[in-house]
């Protein structure tokens, strides 16, 4: 019997921000905590590095993006679905600048099973805005 921790699987990484400090209102959408914005560029660079298959930090992301407040004004967390071992998912999370700089207040990492199977998903930026990424299903795997 294989060790479920060391086998590759889908993991959901659900992170909620510490929103106890100053919140920055960006107008209609995508504001967030001052703490989040202080390391936002580093977080985006890390996501880029971990998306490069030639990088030793590469992790296969099925989906990734901000969690939004109900009023759509603020980013209040981050959500990822990754294909990895549990250890790889945990290391990916621990090395994110949002984790290192304590942007996230609560984090859960759980194994996930899709009853409809895995689909190939590609990310497309909307108007070059790094905060708006649309996940597009291309085909079944």
């Amino acid at each position: 019997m294989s060790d479920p921790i060391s086998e590759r699987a889908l993991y959901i990484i659900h992170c909620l921000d510490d929103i106890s400090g100053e919140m920055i209102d960006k107008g209609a959408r995508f504001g967030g905590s001052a703490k989040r914005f202080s390391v936002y560029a580093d977080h985006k660079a890390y996501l880029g590095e971990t998306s490069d298959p030639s990088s030793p930090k590469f992790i296969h992301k099925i989906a990734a993006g901000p969690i939004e407040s109900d009023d759509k004004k603020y980013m209040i967390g981050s959500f990822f679905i990754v294909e990895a071992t549990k250890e790889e998912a945990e290391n990916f999370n621990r090395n994110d600048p949002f984790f290192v700089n304590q942007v996230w207040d609560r984090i859960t990492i759980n194994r996930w099973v899709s009853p409809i199977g895995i689909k190939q998903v590609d990310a497309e930026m909307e108007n070059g805005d790094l905060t708006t990424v649309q996940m597009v299903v291309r085909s079944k795997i």
Side-chain angles (χ1 to χ4, degrees):
M1 183 172 179
S2 66
D3 176 13
I5 300 298
S6 62
E7 70 183 39
R8 298 189 74 68
L10 297 177
Y11 286 91
I12 291 177
I13 304 171
H14 183 262
C15 312
L16 293 176
D17 290 4
D18 172 4
I19 56 171
S20 63
E22 177 191 0
M23 296 296 282
I24 298 172
D25 189 342
K26 293 266 193 176
R29 202 164 186 190
F30 293 122
S33 71
K35 192 185 281 190
R36 173 178 273 267
F37 283 110
S38 72
V39 292
Y40 191 74
D42 294 337
H43 166 73
K44 296 307 282 186
Y46 177 71
L47 293 183
E49 180 182 8
T50 58
S51 296
D52 178 359
S54 68
S55 170
K57 295 181 181 180
F58 173 75
I59 192 164
H60 183 207
K61 297 174 202 74
I62 305 298
I67 297 172
E68 185 173 68
S69 61
D70 289 339
D71 63 7
K72 300 181 184 178
K73 287 177 67 174
Y74 301 106
M75 293 180 284
I76 59 167
S78 304
F79 178 84
F80 306 90
I81 300 175
V82 298
E83 181 182 10
T85 65
K86 177 81 174 212
E87 182 180 23
E88 289 168 339
E90 289 172 342
N91 287 338
F92 164 71
N93 182 259
R94 276 194 297 267
N95 289 307
D96 191 302
F98 281 175
F99 180 93
V100 173
N101 292 281
Q102 301 176 339
V103 171
W104 295 319
D105 182 47
R106 292 181 304 232
I107 300 164
T108 58
I109 301 175
N110 300 98
R111 192 178 176 113
W112 181 62
V113 178
S114 171
I116 61 170
I118 302 171
K119 297 181 183 292
Q120 178 179 328
V121 180
D122 295 325
E124 294 179 355
M125 281 191 293
E126 184 178 291
N127 301 321
D129 179 357
L130 292 176
T131 61
T132 307
V133 176
Q134 176 182 355
M135 304 309 286
V136 181
V137 175
R138 298 286 184 210
S139 63
K140 274 198 144 188
I141 294 178

